Amino acid sequence: MSGCSDKSFHLIRVGTMHHRPLIDGNVSGCLGVLPSHSEPVNSETNRTTSSCSSFSGTAYFLSALCVYISSFLLPFSTKTSSRINRDRLRLSNWESFAIKLLKGQTLTRYVKNKLELRWVLVQFGAFIVLCGATHLINLWTFTMHSRTVAMVMTTAKVFTAAVSCITALMLVHIIPDLLSVKTRELFLKNKAAELDREMGLIRTQEETGRHVRMLTHEIRSTLDRHTILKTTLVELGRTLALEECALWMPTRTGLELQLSYTLRQQNPVGYTVPIHHPMINQVFSSSHAIKISPNCPVARIRPAGKYMPGEVVAVRVPLLHLSNFQINDWPELSTKRYALMVLMLPSDSARQWHVHELELVEVVADQVAVALSHAAILEESMRARDLLMEQNVALDLARREAETAIRARNDFLAVMNHEMRTPMHAIIALSSLLQETELTPEQRLMVETILKSSNLLATLINDVLDLSRLEDGSLQLDLGTFNLYALFREVLNLIKPIASVKKLHVSLNLAPDLPEYAVGDEKRLMQTILNVVGNAVKFSKDGSILITAFVAKAELLRDPRTPEFFPVPGDNHFYLRVQVKDSGIGVSPQDIPKLFTKFAQIQSTAIRNSGGSGLGLAICKRFVNLMEGHIWIESEGLGKGCTAIFMVKLGIPERLNDSRLALMPKVPPNHGPAAFPGLKVLVMDENGVSRMVTKGLLVHLGCDVTMVSSSEECLRVVSHEHKVVFMDVCVPGMDGYEIAIRIQEKFTKRHERPIIVALTGNTDKVTKEKFMRVGMDGVILKPVSLDKMRSVLSDLLEHRVLFEAI
Amino acid sequence: MDVVNQLQRQFLDYSASLHREGFLDDQFTQLQKLQDENSPDFVVEVASLFFEDCEKLINNMARALEQQGVDFKQVDASVHQLKGSSSSIGAMRVKNVCIAFRSFCEAQNREGCLRCLQQVTHEYSLLKNKLQTLFRLEQQILAAGGSVPAIE
């Protein structure tokens, strides 16, 4: 604009200059003859000059004004452009969008605009300079001036005009761009503001996320239900700046919601609300947090405020019921038990529930549900474990009680055993003694009856006691080596008198391959045989009884009638088979199975009259079973007699291998003073008196005694001839143990070594253990009696070891 | 025969009284059982050995206790020996005193030891007298042609 006015002004000016005749211009250009030139100029141009000058004066003023204004404006425009540039650089991601928006301008256009702007700037500068120069030169034209000055003036004006023309043309070109720059700027400012808003939102969300994480962490860091819920409420209250936060749990009946936890109120009142409220149902049916009215009964837990209550939101918290807890069911819960969490914003504030806050609440509710289920599982498992422990304790107690009961029963049996047998024994003994004396026939009869009855009773007691022990399986066989032949002979001797009274003939047939000695329970085997033979005698009125005993052969072991019996022959045992055949009443086939049952009697008067309790065979069967055998009865029928057969497993005794023992036959004890003729023994004792006493003892028993009184002497004298060394070790300070060790070292071969026995006055456990550890074969407590010494020696020589003889 | 019977009865009574009064116990009876044709004087031999031993030990103990610095270990060893001997022969009273004596030794109680020593000496002399009487009776029986009755 300024350029325009200036330009027009200069056009005018140039026109004005044409009016002035430049007479002396050519002549005195260089010389500057001013006065000649100035005068005509002044006179002629005064009129035109004054009119023109007034016009040009205003034009000058206007143009100057415009120039200054433009000079002020230019920096601003440059500033704007540069600011736009700066903005463009910062919002690089908006750059393309902004550019596209500017009515399809291309990048090259943009660059060109930039250049053009600079160029305009330059032009304006040039214009200002030239204009200023023109006006300055004009100062010289007030007075007479030379042609040169006029020429310069004109040139300057021409240049100014040219520049202003170009500038104007350029400006025409650029102005729309400048205008649009302004709109771009506005647009970008809006975008920046929007972005700031977005940033704020993101930050808020991140903050919320952090709160959620912290909350979750707090919730998950404990397995205690109360802590979880309390923490949830506290943290939620803090995060969302709530006024009140409450948790309502369903009651056991499921019909009401009970206020369980609150944030601000210290004591939840136990206030209940019926569960079937439309608002509550609405909340329960959706998995989102739902805004509810502050008038809802669940939201009315705080005192009625004077002000506007804040907004209330409720969310459901699913409670998982453990019995229905299945992983597959997790999203759709199989039970619809929910708790309700109610959150209230502070009253009297203009706060609203934002979406992100609602989301936070939902997330928290889910986390709480999970944490609660974990806690519930833990509680359940703890409870189960406590229950198991209680059960264990109860079981343990029951077991101990049972053990006590068994012990008591056994004690009772043992006592009763003894208590019952003693009077029986007395009765039987005295009645048999009575029988020996002088009696009238009636008295004799009476005594006989008493004797018979008491015998019966004694047998019954024995049977019952044995049976009860057999029943509970506590009976164990007393295994020992015994003479089979002797056993049978004894049975025969016992049964012969009774049989001869009944005029029965008893014969015993022992197979030649039957071993002389066997290993088994002698007493019970005898009891069994006696019982069976006794039965045979009892149930036969006349005829004969045949007892056969032989070793059962392998092929005959498997009896087709007893398929469940699988005897296995082996190297160190054999099966003894005993058959007792009688010619008595016999048994009918259908009664045979009943024979071995307890207390079962064959319903036949003849048999019943013979007496018996029916326990005998049952006990026999049990004994036979204990001996890993089998017993059965064969009979062809009533009146045709019967055969009782049983097989038992007996062991074969080992051969005695010890050469020493072969030299020394087993001497039964109490066989007279010279029990151990020629047995060389060594006695070591410091005390003269006790040494002499021990020697006396052993000499009396027939031993050849060597006496030593010190350990060195003992070691010197001991030789393989000495069979036994008696060592007195009760003197404190003397190390009998060492001597024992040294003796052992002296004899490397075990069978050459003498038996070492310690004689001591104290028998505490420590000493005994010490002896055993050192390798002593026995310990005898002083003082030793003759009998003790005798039995000790016999034991020692037989078994080679005797641990203790008190 | 009457004399023998009388002597035998006397012997038995005396023996019984010794047992009753606690001078002798079962061990002595055992010793008597050991006496047979092979060792007819077994009991007498053992008894004399015992007396010798006893005197020696008592002297040792007296000497040890007279010292300024009493060596209780030595005294204890002697008492132990005495206890062993007396229990071997069946001298019950002596043995009991020995037991008390030992506890005093362990407690290093000189006064108690001296008292016990006195007691032991007293008991020992009593026993010696009694046994000598008993042996004299035995000799008399044997001289009269009888046999020494066994004590049950």
Side-chain angles (χ1 to χ4, degrees):
Chain A
M1 258 77 72
S2 56
C4 280
S5 66
D6 237 21
K7 181 180 71 183
S8 59
F9 169 63
H10 276 294
L11 278 168
I12 295 166
R13 190 82 179 106
V14 168
T16 324
M17 279 179 72
H18 276 304
H19 287 143
R20 267 193 258 160
L22 300 166
I23 302 161
D24 298 339
N26 302 331
V27 176
S28 59
C30 325
L31 297 172
V33 183
L34 291 162
S36 59
H37 181 67
S38 60
E39 281 172 15
V41 172
N42 272 339
S43 60
E44 279 188 19
T45 57
N46 264 350
R47 264 194 316 222
T48 47
T49 323
S50 60
S51 58
C52 287
S53 68
S54 58
F55 181 69
S56 59
T58 41
Y60 278 137
F61 179 69
L62 279 171
S63 70
L65 200 66
C66 287
V67 165
Y68 284 125
I69 291 169
S70 68
S71 71
F72 277 123
L73 278 179
L74 262 176
F76 283 128
S77 65
T78 52
K79 259 202 200 142
T80 322
S81 60
S82 56
R83 189 148 47 104
I84 287 168
N85 295 343
R86 275 205 298 273
D87 285 345
R88 264 181 227 248
L89 287 171
R90 191 164 38 177
L91 308 169
S92 56
N93 50 335
W94 287 100
E95 195 176 297
S96 46
F97 182 64
I99 289 164
K100 275 194 209 111
L101 219 62
L102 296 170
K103 290 162 191 126
Q105 278 185 335
T106 60
L107 199 63
T108 47
R109 215 45 215 274
Y110 160 65
V111 166
K112 214 161 70 171
N113 286 342
K114 226 161 124 175
L115 282 174
E116 280 173 351
L117 277 169
R118 273 217 197 105
W119 187 238
V120 164
L121 207 64
V122 165
Q123 280 172 340
F124 261 115
F127 177 72
I128 288 167
V129 165
L130 282 171
C131 202
T134 316
H135 288 297
L136 276 172
I137 296 169
N138 200 32
L139 283 175
W140 272 272
T141 58
F142 280 121
T143 55
M144 291 301 287
H145 53 274
S146 62
R147 203 176 171 83
T148 327
V149 171
M151 279 293 288
V152 166
M153 182 83 175
T154 323
T155 337
K157 284 185 186 168
V158 166
F159 273 128
T160 317
V163 167
S164 69
C165 273
I166 297 166
T167 318
L169 284 169
M170 291 222 82
L171 274 177
V172 162
H173 203 254
I174 277 178
I175 279 170
D177 289 340
L178 281 177
L179 284 174
S180 64
V181 158
K182 275 271 176 234
T183 38
R184 251 184 288 158
E185 186 194 329
L186 272 167
F187 172 76
L188 286 169
K189 250 202 294 200
N190 282 340
K191 278 291 163 214
E194 224 178 272
L195 279 171
D196 280 334
R197 270 200 306 275
E198 292 263 354
M199 279 292 277
L201 214 65
I202 288 171
R203 247 185 245 122
T204 332
Q205 275 182 343
E206 210 218 289
E207 184 93 0
T208 316
R210 197 163 47 80
H211 276 288
V212 170
R213 268 196 302 281
M214 189 185 49
L215 198 61
T216 315
H217 179 259
E218 288 286 334
I219 290 172
R220 296 297 199 94
S221 67
T222 168
L223 284 172
D224 179 40
R225 176 192 281 259
H226 296 285
T227 321
I228 289 172
L229 293 170
K230 265 276 169 222
T231 318
T232 313
L233 297 182
V234 163
E235 289 297 324
L236 265 182
R238 198 145 30 102
T239 313
L240 301 172
L242 298 172
E243 172 170 351
E244 180 60 85
C245 187
L247 188 71
W248 300 73
M249 305 277 273
T251 55
R252 283 204 188 286
T253 55
L255 295 173
E256 292 183 321
L257 280 179
Q258 188 183 35
L259 178 64
S260 314
Y261 302 93
T262 58
L263 182 58
R264 307 266 178 235
Q265 282 174 249
Q266 295 308 322
N267 310 313
V269 198
Y271 191 65
T272 57
V273 155
I275 208 168
H276 295 295
H277 196 275
M279 227 173 277
I280 295 174
N281 281 337
Q282 191 195 4
V283 176
F284 278 176
S285 56
S286 150
S287 64
H288 296 291
I290 294 184
K291 291 202 192 109
I292 60 174
S293 141
N295 295 325
C296 182
V298 291
R300 267 200 252 122
I301 52 167
R302 56 181 172 191
K306 307 162 218 143
Y307 307 107
M308 182 69 174
E311 287 205 345
V312 183
V313 147
V315 68
R316 72 174 187 190
V317 179
L319 296 173
L320 296 167
H321 194 49
L322 273 170
S323 60
N324 296 336
F325 189 78
Q326 283 169 24
I327 303 293
N328 308 330
D329 276 356
W330 170 232
E332 324 96 37
L333 302 161
S334 44
T335 179
K336 307 283 184 271
R337 267 168 62 95
Y338 298 110
L340 191 72
M341 193 150 63
V342 175
L343 306 112
M344 282 174 240
L345 287 179
S347 55
D348 189 41
S349 78
R351 262 184 66 185
Q352 295 274 317
W353 280 100
H354 300 138
V355 172
H356 71 271
E357 285 172 346
L358 291 178
E359 278 174 7
L360 170 69
V361 167
E362 282 160 30
V363 164
V364 167
D366 278 336
Q367 288 298 322
V368 165
V370 171
L372 279 179
S373 68
H374 286 170
I377 288 172
L378 181 74
E379 270 175 37
E380 193 66 38
S381 68
M382 298 277 282
R383 209 153 11 112
R385 187 196 64 161
D386 285 337
L387 198 68
L388 271 174
M389 267 169 49
E390 263 176 59
Q391 278 179 344
N392 270 353
V393 167
L395 275 172
D396 200 34
L397 193 67
R399 180 180 58 90
R400 260 181 286 143
E401 275 176 15
E403 274 176 11
T404 322
I406 288 174
R407 253 199 307 263
R409 198 265 314 264
N410 287 345
D411 287 339
F412 169 77
L413 276 178
V415 164
M416 288 312 287
N417 197 352
H418 181 257
E419 296 302 321
M420 282 205 275
R421 285 195 222 260
T422 315
M424 282 316 308
H425 182 72
I427 295 171
I428 292 171
L430 289 173
S431 1
S432 41
L433 274 175
L434 197 58
Q435 263 188 330
E436 309 274 313
T437 62
E438 300 280 329
L439 292 172
T440 68
E442 303 93 39
Q443 286 175 325
R444 192 162 287 279
L445 204 64
M446 282 190 252
V447 171
E448 271 173 14
T449 319
I450 292 174
L451 202 55
K452 242 195 289 200
S453 319
S454 44
N455 271 330
L456 216 65
L457 194 61
T459 321
L460 189 63
I461 290 172
N462 281 345
D463 286 350
V464 167
L465 287 169
D466 269 344
L467 196 64
S468 61
R469 274 205 299 158
L470 279 171
E471 290 280 87
D472 67 61
S474 64
L475 193 71
Q476 278 169 327
L477 295 174
D478 293 323
L479 295 175
T481 314
F482 61 93
N483 192 331
L484 262 181
Y485 285 82
L487 186 108
F488 280 110
R489 264 199 295 276
E490 202 168 326
V491 167
L492 203 63
N493 287 340
L494 280 170
I495 216 70
K496 260 220 169 88
I498 309 173
S500 61
V501 161
K502 280 184 124 178
K503 306 276 191 294
L504 292 168
H505 182 251
V506 181
S507 58
L508 175 66
N509 191 358
L510 296 175
D513 63 353
L514 201 64
E516 189 179 340
Y517 289 94
V519 175
D521 192 335
E522 182 187 1
K523 190 176 79 142
R524 299 208 168 98
L525 184 61
M526 174 128 89
Q527 213 174 336
T528 313
I529 301 175
L530 260 179
N531 198 302
V532 168
V533 172
N535 278 347
V537 167
K538 213 188 321 181
F539 295 122
S540 308
K541 274 207 280 269
D542 50 30
S544 63
I545 312 236
L546 177 64
I547 310 173
T548 337
F550 52 92
V551 174
K553 297 287 177 288
E555 52 278 11
L556 294 175
L557 282 175
R558 286 290 306 277
D559 200 298
R561 277 163 297 201
T562 58
E564 63 273 4
F565 181 50
F566 296 114
V568 178
D571 273 340
N572 52 359
H573 60 263
F574 68 96
Y575 281 89
L576 170 73
R577 184 172 158 130
V578 175
Q579 285 175 198
V580 179
K581 185 169 160 61
D582 70 54
S583 55
I585 338 173
V587 182
S588 62
Q590 59 258 42
D591 286 333
I592 290 182
K594 276 197 272 177
L595 281 170
F596 293 98
T597 52
K598 269 195 300 184
F599 307 117
Q601 297 266 29
I602 314 290
Q603 297 304 321
S604 163
T605 47
I607 297 179
R608 247 198 305 162
N609 283 340
S610 323
S613 60
L615 274 181
L617 276 178
I619 293 185
C620 284
K621 187 171 164 104
R622 284 192 174 62
F623 282 149
V624 166
N625 284 339
L626 269 176
M627 291 191 237
E628 294 177 54
H630 191 70
I631 182 168
W632 70 97
I633 292 196
E634 292 169 13
S635 173
E636 286 173 31
L638 284 167
K640 302 217 176 76
C642 78
T643 314
I645 311 169
F646 69 87
M647 279 203 276
V648 286
K649 183 172 160 185
L650 295 172
I652 302 172
E654 298 175 355
R655 302 262 163 266
L656 298 165
N657 284 328
D658 204 18
S659 57
R660 171 119 55 85
L661 286 174
L663 286 172
M664 195 85 51
K666 178 179 172 203
V667 186
N670 299 326
H671 254 226
F676 310 97
L679 178 69
K680 276 196 92 139
V681 294
L682 183 69
V683 172
M684 188 195 80
D685 193 337
E686 265 192 6
N687 189 317
V689 176
S690 70
R691 195 168 59 228
M692 196 157 170
V693 170
T694 316
K695 178 186 171 188
L697 267 176
L698 292 166
V699 160
H700 192 78
L701 289 171
C703 306
D704 178 6
V705 183
T706 321
M707 289 207 293
V708 290
S709 57
S710 73
S711 40
E712 298 86 30
E713 216 183 321
C714 173
L715 284 168
R716 230 178 334 115
V717 172
V718 77
S719 71
H720 66 270
E721 284 178 349
H722 296 107
K723 299 280 180 262
V724 189
V725 173
F726 286 96
M727 220 185 285
D728 184 298
V729 292
C730 70
V731 179
M734 184 170 89
D735 202 354
Y737 319 124
E738 213 190 287
I739 300 166
I741 295 171
R742 293 226 241 137
I743 291 178
Q744 280 180 342
E745 282 170 14
K746 194 167 168 181
F747 298 95
T748 46
K749 291 200 205 131
R750 197 174 155 83
H751 68 261
E752 274 182 359
R753 180 164 83 75
I755 303 171
I756 306 175
V757 178
L759 289 162
T760 177
N762 66 347
T763 51
D764 56 75
K765 224 170 164 208
V766 176
T767 326
K768 265 186 275 187
E769 276 171 11
K770 217 165 153 183
F771 289 141
M772 247 107 87
R773 239 186 304 135
V774 154
M776 299 225 187
D777 299 301
V779 173
I780 306 180
L781 180 66
K782 287 208 296 197
V784 193
S785 71
L786 188 63
D787 294 322
K788 192 167 24 157
M789 184 59 94
R790 206 197 328 252
S791 68
V792 159
L793 273 177
S794 63
D795 274 337
L796 271 175
L797 293 169
E798 187 182 322
H799 298 125
R800 231 220 118 85
V801 75
L802 157 82
F803 277 125
E804 179 176 340
I806 308 290
Chain B
M1 280 300 117
D2 245 346
V3 175
V4 173
N5 279 346
Q6 202 187 11
L7 282 172
Q8 280 176 340
R9 218 180 300 266
Q10 220 180 344
F11 175 78
L12 283 170
D13 287 337
Y14 196 63
S15 242
S17 75
L18 284 181
H19 276 91
R20 225 182 7 254
E21 286 164 27
F23 283 105
L24 299 171
D25 64 12
D26 201 39
Q27 180 64 12
F28 191 74
T29 323
Q30 294 284 330
L31 288 183
Q32 286 181 315
K33 275 199 205 159
L34 293 178
Q35 193 161 286
D36 55 14
E37 319 73 63
N38 297 336
S39 43
D41 295 322
F42 180 66
V43 183
V44 177
E45 279 171 18
V46 173
S48 359
L49 195 65
F50 172 67
F51 294 142
E52 270 177 43
D53 226 15
C54 237
E55 272 164 39
K56 200 168 50 172
L57 285 170
I58 288 176
N59 285 338
N60 279 349
M61 283 192 276
R63 227 173 317 139
L65 283 171
E66 269 168 33
Q67 311 257 337
Q68 276 297 79
V70 181
D71 185 1
F72 281 105
K73 274 205 162 52
Q74 202 193 357
V75 179
D76 189 56
S78 305
V79 176
H80 184 88
Q81 287 260 9
L82 188 60
K83 178 164 158 250
S85 307
S86 52
S87 57
S88 297
I89 200 175
M92 198 162 72
R93 276 200 180 177
V94 179
K95 185 181 77 176
N96 289 340
V97 178
C98 285
I99 295 172
F101 203 150
R102 278 203 89 183
S103 56
F104 280 122
C105 277
E106 263 173 62
Q108 308 215 337
N109 182 344
R110 191 158 170 268
E111 294 304 317
C113 286
L114 283 168
R115 258 203 314 274
C116 276
L117 183 63
Q118 237 180 355
Q119 232 179 329
V120 160
T121 319
H122 176 68
E123 288 295 330
Y124 157 73
S125 36
L126 270 177
L127 183 67
K128 188 167 175 183
N129 283 338
K130 303 251 182 215
L131 278 178
Q132 279 173 341
T133 318
L134 194 70
F135 293 147
R136 236 196 335 270
L137 271 173
E138 266 187 25
Q139 299 280 8
Q140 281 176 338
I141 294 173
L142 287 171
S147 59
V148 180
I151 303 167
E152 280 308 307

